[in-house]
Amino acid sequence: MLLWLLVNVATILFCALAQDVTMLKQRLAAHGVSAVYPVDDNFTALSQAYNMRFNFTPVAIVFPASIPQVSVAVVAGAAQKLEVVARSGGHSYIANGLGGNNGALVVDMRNLKAITVRSSNNTAIIETGNRLGNLALALNAAGRAIPHGTCSYIGIGGHSGYGGFGFASRMWGLMLDTVKSATVVLANGTIVPTSAHVNTDLFWAICGASPSFGIVASIEVQTFKAPSSTIVFEYTWDSLDIPTAATAISSFQTFARTNIPPEFGAELVLRKGPSRGTVSFAWTAAYYGDTGAHATVAPFLKSLPKPSNATITPGSYINSVLVLSGKPLDTSAAPDVTDAFYTKSLMTPESAPMSAAAITAFVTYMATQGYSSETNWYVEVELYGGSNSAVNAVPLDATAFAKRDTLFTFQFHASSPDGKPPYPSDGFTFMDGMVASILDNEPANWPYGAYLNYMDDRLANAASLYYGTHYARLKSIKASVDPQNVFRFPVGVA
């Protein structure tokens, strides 16, 4: 009797799901919205996550050709009580662009790629199906630019919604700081404008936490004149022992807090060394201007041994974007890559720099456990703050972005040995230990944070670390604009 009941319950649930999908198909088809479903031949390829550590199966992936069609898709998904998520470029570290779970309705924005540069006020209207490389090319053709990350394949939706840091950010701010207005599709399908003057609470929320509040279909950004010349500095040290590497990181921290100009951006990249007790150390910097570049970098370089390799590349602004990316800027020229990895982040406070003990413990961990790890790992240390930083010049409560007192943002990244699943279980503990090597040597109340664009699905106290003191206000706005939590995914505002 119990077996019969269970079988019938399963049958009822299956039929209900089938009926829901049928209704979904009918609603989308009635409005001409293209979609693929699990039964379609191309579904597997279209539903592949950038991070192959995840393998989620959406109910459907829709490809709207216009903003009204985005609205149709949202309404259709909400009617079936589905989780609805936007996918702008597919680079979510925890596959939130596929819902972060099975059974989501994915609204793929790849067909919304219009970019309109307006010379009248030097703004640009950008639809969120664009990727960073193509955006840089389009703006550069008009002599303009905005701050953004280096990877040309990243979609602008999540990038601008959660932050959007790049080498030009100390000069121009985060990408989200350039947003002047946006067009947002709400959970009820309403298409609304947002700005500092219209729907102001919503505008505040999307500048730091946008995917939880609606689908941002387009943004208006303030552009900047592309610098007439740039210089990219690239230095590598193939092998530094623990004391030398710790001194180098300490020197970078000291250097970052001196009077460096806003035209300067830089990052460290640390990797496995050639022998136990060593690390590989790289420093990349960009200077946006005609004069002052060499004088700016000289004090830091003097504190280090002679590099193994040095490359200095002067050129145009767009050439610097290409050099820093290391990939084609026209993302239609070649397919994107995939990986299987785990990433964590740490945003260190400018008001309380890392202690010498924390730096030494961190380097020791990389040079010992990092040498033994089977993963392919690296750590990026990105310079956000320092004197004259436009990132930290924005008042904390001006946007939902929660960390305006950041000196460095660390990205800890470890891939499986061949870049494919399965991901080794000790990769998680290895990354956790690397972050702990720093935190365990700082005070318990050290005001650090974490960066949403390097999202971690295993992060304890995620709401506080990602959203900080803004979380209560974000929850209030969420309850107002998305009371049914249509736009939901791991680590979102709920």
Side-chain angles (χ1 to χ4, degrees), residues 161 200-211 213 399-400 473-474 477:
T200 55
D201 279 351
L202 178 61
F203 182 68
W204 180 86
I206 67 168
C207 292
S210 69
F213 295 88
T399 70
R473 183 180 176 189
L474 287 168
I477 298 170

Side-chain angles (χ1 to χ4, degrees), residues 1 60 116 160 165 387:
M1 180 69 178
T116 303
S160 64
F165 172 81
S387 58

Side-chain angles (χ1 to χ4, degrees), residues 1 26 35 79 162 188 202 256 262 273 277 307 326 332 339 365 374 392 399 472 475:
M1 180 69 178
Q26 291 174 348
Y162 281 140
N188 63 5
L202 178 61
S332 65
D339 193 4
Y365 189 94
E374 64 180 307
N392 292 353
T399 70
K475 282 178 65 70

Side-chain angles (χ1 to χ4, degrees), residues 128-429:
T128 52
N130 283 286
R131 298 192 183 207
L132 296 184
N134 299 90
L135 172 60
L137 289 170
L139 294 180
N140 185 72
R144 310 300 295 179
I146 60 172
H148 55 72
T150 58
C151 181
S152 55
Y153 284 88
I154 291 174
I156 73 162
H159 191 66
S160 64
Y162 281 140
F165 172 81
F167 277 77
S169 286
R170 294 192 66 260
M171 178 171 61
W172 291 334
L174 301 170
M175 189 174 181
L176 71 82
D177 294 329
T178 71
V179 177
K180 295 175 64 67
S181 68
T183 299
V184 183
V185 180
L186 298 180
N188 63 5
T190 305
I191 302 170
V192 300
T194 63
S195 71
H197 308 289
V198 179
N199 294 312
T200 55
D201 279 351
L202 178 61
F203 182 68
W204 180 86
I206 67 168
C207 292
S210 69
S212 294
F213 295 88
I215 294 182
V216 177
S218 70
I219 56 176
E220 177 194 17
V221 300
Q222 183 66 58
T223 69
F224 301 86
K225 183 180 180 186
S228 58
S229 63
T230 63
I231 298 180
V232 177
F233 299 89
E234 298 171 281
Y235 300 93
T236 59
W237 292 260
D238 294 338
S239 177
L240 294 183
D241 60 26
I242 292 171
T244 306
T247 297
I249 295 173
S250 296
S251 295
F252 186 43
Q253 182 169 255
T254 300
F255 166 78
R257 303 181 77 221
T258 62
N259 188 29
I260 53 177
E263 294 83 6
F264 173 81
E267 71 173 17
L268 297 177
V269 179
L270 302 134
R271 299 181 187 272
K272 179 180 177 178
S275 60
R276 187 176 182 85
T278 67
V279 295
S280 170
F281 192 97
W283 190 61
T284 300
Y287 191 91
Y288 302 96
D290 298 319
T291 59
H294 292 275
T296 297
V297 303
F300 175 64
L301 294 175
K302 287 179 181 178
S303 69
L304 275 74
K306 182 180 178 180
S308 305
N309 295 283
T311 302
I312 300 174
T313 309
S316 66
Y317 170 77
I318 198 64
N319 186 63
S320 74
V321 177
L322 178 62
V323 170
L324 292 169
S325 175
K327 296 181 179 181
L329 298 184
D330 180 0
T331 59
S332 65
D336 200 359
V337 298
T338 55
D339 193 4
F341 61 92
Y342 178 51
T343 291
K344 302 182 75 67
S345 68
L346 180 66
M347 306 181 84
T348 70
E350 188 163 43
S351 58
M354 290 185 296
S355 66
I359 292 173
T360 298
F362 170 54
V363 173
T364 301
Y365 189 94
M366 289 187 293
T368 53
Q369 285 91 333
Y371 183 75
S372 302
S373 175
E374 64 180 307
T375 64
N376 292 319
W377 62 269
Y378 65 82
V379 180
E380 292 180 347
V381 185
E382 301 162 339
L383 176 58
Y384 273 55
S387 58
N388 305 306
S389 171
V391 175
N392 292 353
V394 178
L396 173 61
D397 294 333
T399 70
F401 185 79
K403 297 301 295 183
R404 295 290 182 178
D405 179 40
T406 297
L407 182 61
F408 295 134
T409 290
F410 285 65
Q411 177 183 188
F412 309 86
H413 189 289
S415 299
S416 61
D418 60 357
K420 297 178 181 179
Y423 188 77
S425 60
D426 57 0
F428 298 110
T429 54

